[in-house]
Amino acid sequence: MIKVKNLRYKYQKSKDYAINGIDFQINEGEIFGFLGPSGAGKSTTQKVLIKLLRGFEGEIEYQGKPLNSYDDQFYQDIGVSFEMPISFSKLTALENLEFFKRLYKKTVDLEPLLKRVGLWDDRHKKAGEYSKGMKIRLNFIRALLNDPMFLFLDEPTNGVDPANSRIMKDMILEFKQKGGTVFLTSHIMGDIDELCDRVAFIAEGKLREEGAPRDLKIKYGRRTVTVEYRENGELHSQTFTMEEIKLPSFFKLLQEKEIETLHSGETTLEEIFIKVTGVKLRA
Amino acid sequence: MPNLRVLIQGEFIRLNKYNLFAANFVVLLFWVFLAWFLEGEVLRQFIPVIFLMDSVMMTILLVGATLFYEKKEHTINSVMVTPVTENEYLLSKILVNALNSLITVAFISLAVYLIKGVTYNYWLLVPAVLIVTVVHTLIGIRLSYSAKDFTSLLINYMIYVFVFVLPPVFAQFGLIDASVARFFILLPPEASSILIGTGFVEVELWKILFGYSYLALLSMVLFRFSVKPKFNEYMMKEMGV
């Protein structure tokens, strides 16, 4: 659906490229996670993809045609949710949504969406009186109101309580099940792990790694199993490689010792993030 | 321009909700209050000043205030990821201010007619107010995009007043030589004053023709070479440059 080839972007007042020759592809119907530390170039990439930043170098194709060949009708097909809460503060939530809704040819019924994210009862409240979490949910609904084919979500659950975060993630997965495509940036690795079919890690304007979360975890994980057991009141641990667990010694240990825990050497996306980008995640 | 109507309606709703209409209305009431105490020729000289102040000064402040809120709330980002074009967005600002100026003309004209029985040539006044408002909306947008915050906008506004509005006033009091003052028609507020004056006094034809041509040309030049590039620059900043 989107093909990016040797994308480079430099801000006017900057000497260095914010994005420095990246290639990736987002297939139709997949959720593509774009990860990286602050200032790595992920927001810049998103802004280039949604045509807010012009003057990029390289090639971007959307639906088989150069992105630059699309006029503003491009926005009929996409939904964008920014990281920061954006709404007209003195208008109610419903007035905000109704204003934007009238700019699109195809729209959806707002009532079920607002009910789903728990904003229906507060729809007549001014957006400025909303909490941060409510504003983020309002952003999310704004991105969905034109029934888009492609969603660009920047930190969609950041600042949202766990219950509503769960609802929003379910909605993203349902969007995908209906054939929608998602470009997602987030620092919450649990969300990425749960939602994304493929992820790409960007650091200092370059792509450092790309693949399905499962494949990356296998690639960066240790193919081992660690057994923790108690013997004479003391805790011991022993690590076996995948080859060693087929040997009798592994089974013997399991049968004879008082096993407390079994751990695979599978890594987490967070560890991969730190490894490939060289930056620790925010707490 | 399929979205223009929606943008204009949205802009009017926001002017109302953000109390900018109310502020504008209070100013109109103030003008009517002042007009109440004036009579005869003094009143006839005062009324064009009201329209000039409204279409020049209030226009700049009104568009500045709306853009200030848009900057503060980053709502321009959301608008620019809809099928709205830059031209539609900027044109909506111009048209809303033009409509607002027409409301002012209707309100003030009705008020001075009802309280003082004063009438004037509305057919000459309306087009003059419209073109003056268009130019000053563009100037207001330009000043706003050059300002970091509302205080900075007010400073830009004051500089505009000192540079472009005060010299003709000084000339009227004889503080500036007439040989210099005849070039003041090139100052947008002075050209505006001449055109608005056509509704009240007889003005030489060349001045009218020059005034309309000059302000129309200035609007086009400002839109194409100043406001649009500055808008793009502002958008880039807004996007995190």
Side-chain angles (χ1 to χ4, degrees):
Chain A
M1 195 159 195
I2 282 191
K3 264 187 201 170
V4 174
K5 217 171 162 186
N6 196 24
L7 178 66
R8 286 154 67 90
Y9 187 84
K10 189 160 74 169
Y11 289 111
Q12 276 175 353
K13 289 174 186 168
S14 174
K15 282 189 291 179
D16 304 318
Y17 280 91
I19 311 169
N20 200 354
I22 62 172
D23 301 77
F24 63 90
Q25 183 169 334
I26 306 170
N27 302 314
E28 195 164 345
E30 79 173 354
I31 302 179
F32 186 82
F34 207 59
L35 318 175
S38 300
K42 54 187 193 302
S43 290
T44 304
T45 306
Q46 173 163 326
K47 283 165 190 166
V48 170
L49 294 181
I50 59 175
K51 286 167 66 70
L52 283 178
L53 292 179
R54 296 160 194 177
F56 62 84
E57 297 168 35
E59 292 170 32
I60 303 175
E61 271 185 21
Y62 175 72
Q63 305 265 61
K65 280 166 47 183
L67 186 68
N68 284 339
S69 69
Y70 288 88
D71 63 10
D72 288 285
Q73 292 306 304
F74 164 74
Y75 297 110
Q76 295 282 3
D77 291 341
I78 70 160
V80 181
S81 175
F82 294 102
E83 182 186 2
M84 62 183 132
I86 294 175
S87 42
F88 296 107
S89 65
K90 307 264 171 136
L91 267 60
T92 67
L94 198 59
E95 284 168 340
N96 266 284
L97 294 173
E98 291 290 352
F99 167 71
F100 286 107
K101 197 178 165 183
R102 291 172 63 209
L103 297 168
Y104 295 99
K105 288 177 190 162
K106 190 175 60 169
T107 54
V108 295
D109 185 8
L110 292 173
E111 187 177 338
L113 286 177
L114 286 170
K115 279 184 174 166
R116 186 95 187 263
V117 298
L119 293 179
W120 181 249
D121 292 342
D122 295 308
R123 66 192 182 281
H124 297 307
K125 214 176 182 181
K126 283 181 185 170
E129 292 167 9
Y130 270 21
S131 66
K132 190 192 172 192
M134 291 166 89
K135 285 178 186 167
I136 296 287
R137 281 181 273 157
L138 185 62
N139 266 9
F140 183 62
I141 297 304
R142 207 212 73 65
L144 291 171
L145 58 76
N146 57 323
D147 194 16
M149 287 160 46
F150 203 128
L151 267 180
F152 291 87
L153 304 174
D154 194 356
E155 307 279 355
T157 60
N158 194 12
V160 179
D161 63 87
N164 281 302
S165 171
R166 177 70 269 152
I167 292 167
M168 287 167 71
K169 283 187 278 185
D170 287 343
M171 289 171 78
I172 295 168
L173 289 169
E174 284 165 29
F175 175 78
K176 180 202 156 186
Q177 278 159 14
K178 287 179 193 163
T181 310
V182 183
F183 181 88
L184 176 75
T185 66
S186 179
H187 279 101
I188 305 169
M189 291 297 128
D191 288 0
I192 293 287
D193 208 358
E194 191 180 338
L195 296 172
C196 296
D197 299 297
R198 285 190 309 121
V199 294
F201 292 90
I202 186 170
E204 292 164 344
K206 288 180 184 287
L207 274 199
R208 296 293 167 89
E209 188 58 275
E210 190 193 338
R214 184 180 180 280
D215 296 344
L216 292 176
K217 281 191 236 171
I218 290 170
K219 182 179 171 183
Y220 285 91
R222 284 169 286 117
R223 290 174 51 77
T224 58
V225 172
T226 301
V227 182
E228 285 186 323
Y229 60 95
R230 205 163 278 279
E231 193 172 40
N232 301 327
E234 281 183 22
L235 189 66
H236 298 272
S237 76
Q238 199 170 336
T239 300
F240 297 85
T241 64
M242 287 299 180
E243 287 69 36
E244 285 169 344
I245 62 170
K246 292 170 191 161
L247 300 173
S249 57
F250 178 71
F251 292 103
K252 197 177 168 200
L253 183 79
L254 293 183
Q255 284 165 351
E256 291 178 359
K257 305 294 180 191
E258 190 189 332
I259 307 299
E260 290 209 334
T261 61
L262 275 170
H263 295 285
S264 77
E266 184 184 284
T267 187
T268 61
L269 276 182
E270 186 172 341
E271 282 171 339
I272 300 171
F273 181 101
I274 294 165
K275 201 173 275 179
V276 301
T277 65
V279 180
K280 286 201 171 184
L281 284 167
R282 290 181 303 209
Chain B
M1 300 223 169
N3 297 310
L4 202 52
R5 202 173 138 210
V6 180
L7 288 174
I8 289 171
Q9 284 174 341
E11 193 79 14
F12 270 116
I13 291 169
R14 289 195 295 279
L15 282 173
N16 186 32
K17 295 267 179 173
Y18 284 76
N19 291 325
L20 295 172
F21 259 150
N24 196 31
F25 187 67
V26 169
V27 175
L28 291 185
L29 286 180
F30 174 73
W31 292 131
V32 173
F33 176 75
L34 284 181
W36 188 283
F37 295 100
L38 302 175
E39 296 290 345
E41 198 49 38
V42 178
L43 178 61
R44 286 194 70 81
Q45 283 177 357
F46 179 63
I47 295 168
V49 174
I50 297 176
F51 294 125
L52 186 67
M53 293 294 279
D54 187 79
S55 51
V56 173
M57 315 294 258
M58 279 306 288
T59 294
I60 294 176
L61 280 180
L62 204 61
V63 76
T66 57
L67 293 179
F68 164 72
Y69 279 115
E70 282 183 12
K71 270 185 187 182
K72 192 178 156 199
E73 297 176 347
H74 304 284
T75 45
I76 185 73
N77 301 32
S78 276
V79 174
M80 285 297 127
V81 292
T82 67
V84 169
T85 64
E86 281 169 25
N87 285 347
E88 282 175 328
Y89 171 79
L90 292 170
L91 207 54
S92 71
K93 301 279 175 211
I94 295 167
L95 290 175
V96 164
N97 276 286
L99 288 169
N100 203 30
S101 287
L102 288 182
I103 293 169
T104 299
V105 169
F107 180 83
I108 295 288
S109 298
L110 187 67
V112 293
Y113 175 72
L114 290 176
I115 61 173
K116 298 285 180 178
V118 176
T119 59
Y120 31 84
N121 192 332
Y122 307 110
W123 300 108
L124 289 176
L125 176 66
V126 166
V129 163
L130 286 177
I131 194 150
V132 171
T133 304
V134 169
V135 174
H136 286 88
T137 304
L138 290 166
I139 291 170
I141 295 173
R142 184 64 180 77
L143 294 179
S144 300
Y145 285 142
S146 302
K148 284 178 191 158
D149 47 36
F150 199 68
T151 311
S152 164
L153 169 70
L154 289 177
I155 291 168
N156 289 347
Y157 176 79
M158 293 310 293
I159 292 169
Y160 180 79
V161 169
F162 274 107
V163 175
F164 294 103
V165 179
L166 289 185
V169 176
F170 292 152
Q172 276 193 346
F173 287 103
L175 296 172
I176 293 176
D177 192 76
S179 60
V180 176
R182 68 197 169 104
F183 293 106
F184 285 168
I185 194 169
L186 290 170
L187 301 176
E190 180 62 6
S192 303
S193 171
I194 290 166
L195 291 184
I196 286 173
T198 58
F200 301 85
V201 290
E202 209 158 297
V203 177
E204 292 160 88
L205 183 64
W206 77 266
K207 282 189 176 176
I208 300 173
L209 293 176
F210 177 81
Y212 274 107
S213 310
Y214 174 59
L215 292 187
L217 183 70
L218 186 63
S219 300
M220 287 187 272
V221 170
L222 275 173
F223 187 80
R224 174 68 184 81
F225 298 104
S226 182
V227 171
K228 272 192 83 169
K230 199 70 193 171
F231 174 78
N232 288 326
E233 192 185 302
Y234 166 71
M235 280 305 296
M236 295 290 274
K237 264 189 202 155
E238 185 68 11
M239 290 304 142
V241 182

